[in-house]
């Protein structure tokens, strides 16, 4: 968050490298654009902010079709359109593989939601799907067949962007978009807030269609860009928010009071 | 430029890919950091803005020493320190080669300087060195010996950052930092402003130490991050600004009224 004379701006930046964060043979350019935009727009929304603009740093290999770049742009633009944001500029360079360096800028209509605001006693709640994108990626990785909507979930997230303004309105104390996996991202809130987050194993939504590894996908899969927040005890949560745990004294993330033994997305393993 | 309630922010983004925009065997990590920061800070300054923060997207190959990354950060930070800006965050990802995706954010204390403000009759003036970095890169490319300060100029630009506030104070109608070469960057002003820019060949500073190709380096070399601006006719320019031409009716960039036949940095050739 940047305070400027008379206002505040939030900014976030991600780098996506072909072969690590996406594969051109697994996702088309349009979906790649939607997804690259979504993950940064969701980051802005998770601060309680309103996305306004994207800057795109675009690394282009020599063999890339112009049509690929045009469809990528269409995807970026259409995802921005959902929120009234625009692709405002950027940089185009030659590169050995496709690189997408996305910066999202947003304005804060009200208070900022930070990772550091959770307090012991808060309710932890989730808005949006968990595990679907991870299940789809697993199907692609194994070359296995499976429900097309799982693969679609990997290719194009559909973050419930309204979660940001809702969370502000509900008095949320912290909010994050689930990009690295639920346990890992709640761990960021726990660390920044100086609390432990204890998930209620029985309250976690684990749809049968995610298959035998559903629980792992729900706890560690990130690309759905659900939102996870903390709310003062007694907050009347609408049905779109699912309470999945509590903030308590301590540190880290536990499930039913016990260590979870799970890892989320490792930025250096992939 | 992003207008937010009560304020305005400028943002700019560049991607630098190892092997194309820098070479680890030609420049150390500290200088690479200084240069990556400088080129984005200069972009912010060229809008009449005050740089406040950088976001760094950092692509890291598996074999990269931690010390390399630390020295890179030191360089980024020290360049920011010159202007009271900070490295505020970013993203770290695994990548096949070093990637630096730099976003710079700044605030506008007064009016913004845009590329579109030049008017026929304006004086075109330059603040800062031209051609030195290109001469240094030429020495490195040819494996030739030469004055160390030319190679230093390639490794670490020293943009005259004060040019931004000076240009605002002098009533500049447009300003740009010379990153793609003088003729090419003045071409951006000419196109955005709907004017022709005619350079005075005899007024161009072509130091003998740049060697036999000095004129080409001065007209097409970019990495020194000098600033080029347009000022209303009759502006009393201080000695730090060198008048090199005029904006006139028409389009494009000419030298002594004739086509220049030169090209600047081609983002796809390199």
């Amino acid at each position: 968050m940047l305070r400027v004379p008379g206002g505040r701006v939030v900014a976030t930046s991600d780098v996506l490298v072909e072969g690590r964060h996406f594969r051109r043979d697994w996702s088309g350019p349009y979906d790649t654009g939607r997804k690259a935009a979504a993950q940064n727009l969701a980051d802005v929304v998770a601060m309680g902010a309103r996305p306004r603009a994207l800057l795109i740093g675009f690394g282009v290999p020599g063999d890339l079709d112009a049509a690929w770049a045009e469809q990528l742009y269409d995807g970026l633009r259409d995802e921005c359109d959902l929120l009234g944001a625009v692709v405002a500029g950027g940089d185009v360079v030659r590169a050995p593989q496709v690189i997408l360096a996305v910066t999202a800028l947003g304005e804060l209509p009200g208070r900022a939601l930070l990772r550091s605001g959770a307090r012991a006693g808060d309710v932890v709640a989730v808005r949006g799907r968990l595990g679907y994108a991870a299940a789809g990626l697993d199907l692609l990785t194994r070359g296995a067949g499976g429900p097309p909507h799982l693969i679609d979930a990997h290719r194009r997230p559909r973050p419930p962007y309204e979660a940001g303004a809702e969370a502000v309105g509900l008095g949320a104390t912290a909010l994050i978009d689930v990009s690295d996996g639920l346990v890992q991202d709640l761990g960021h809130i726990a660390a920044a807030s100086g609390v432990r987050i204890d998930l209620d194993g029985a309250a976690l939504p684990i749809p049968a269609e995610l298959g035998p590894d559903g629980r792992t996908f729900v706890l560690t899969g990130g690309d759905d860009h659900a939102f996870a927040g903390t709310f003062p005890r007694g907050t009347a949560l609408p049905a779109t928010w699912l309470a999945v745990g509590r903030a308590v004294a301590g540190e880290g993330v536990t499930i039913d009071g016990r260590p979870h033994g799970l890892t989320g997305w490792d930025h250096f393993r992939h």
Side-chain angles (χ1 to χ4, degrees), chain A residues 190-252:
Chain A
S193 298
V195 298
R196 172 162 67 94
I197 287 179
D198 187 43
L199 292 169
D200 174 359
L204 293 168
I206 303 174
E209 63 184 322
L210 300 187
D213 294 323
R215 186 170 178 278
T216 301
F217 295 148
V218 166
L219 288 166
T220 66
D223 275 351
D224 297 290
H225 294 284
F227 293 86
T230 54
F231 300 85
R233 190 198 312 250
T235 300
L237 292 170
T240 45
W241 288 86
L242 183 65
V244 295
R246 288 230 165 243
V248 297
E251 61 184 31

Side-chain angles (χ1 to χ4, degrees), chain A residues 19 25 32 51 73 80-81 104 172 205 230 232 251 263-264 269-270:
Chain A
D25 54 339
T32 300
Y73 175 80
C80 283
D81 274 351
T230 54
E251 61 184 31
T263 53
R269 191 159 50 86
H270 298 275

Side-chain angles (χ1 to χ4, degrees), chain A residues 33-127:
Chain A
R34 295 287 299 235
K35 185 169 181 167
Q39 72 181 60
N40 285 276
L41 295 168
D43 252 350
V44 168
V45 163
M47 293 192 67
R50 192 180 291 151
R52 291 285 309 278
L54 295 187
L55 300 178
I56 308 293
F58 185 24
V60 182
D63 66 346
L64 195 80
D65 276 346
W68 199 96
E70 284 164 10
Q71 289 167 40
L72 173 86
Y73 175 80
D74 288 344
L76 292 164
R77 182 203 56 212
D78 285 356
E79 193 71 18
C80 283
D81 274 351
L82 296 177
L83 289 156
V86 296
V87 178
D91 188 25
V92 180
V93 301
R94 198 65 172 268
Q97 65 287 126
V98 176
I99 299 168
L100 287 167
V102 183
T103 299
L105 303 168
E107 65 185 47
L108 277 164
R111 83 192 154 91
L113 293 175
L114 306 177
R115 298 175 179 187
S116 55
R119 296 292 170 261
D122 284 354
V123 174
V124 177
V126 170
R127 171 104 164 76

Side-chain angles (χ1 to χ4, degrees), chain A residues 16 22-23 26-39 68 71-76 79 100 151-158:
Chain A
L16 291 89
F22 64 94
R23 284 177 52 160
W26 283 0
S27 293
Y30 181 79
D31 282 343
T32 300
R34 295 287 299 235
K35 185 169 181 167
Q39 72 181 60
W68 199 96
Q71 289 167 40
L72 173 86
Y73 175 80
D74 288 344
L76 292 164
E79 193 71 18
L100 287 167
I151 291 170
D152 284 350
H154 161 73
R155 289 187 173 136
R156 190 197 305 179
R158 287 170 174 77

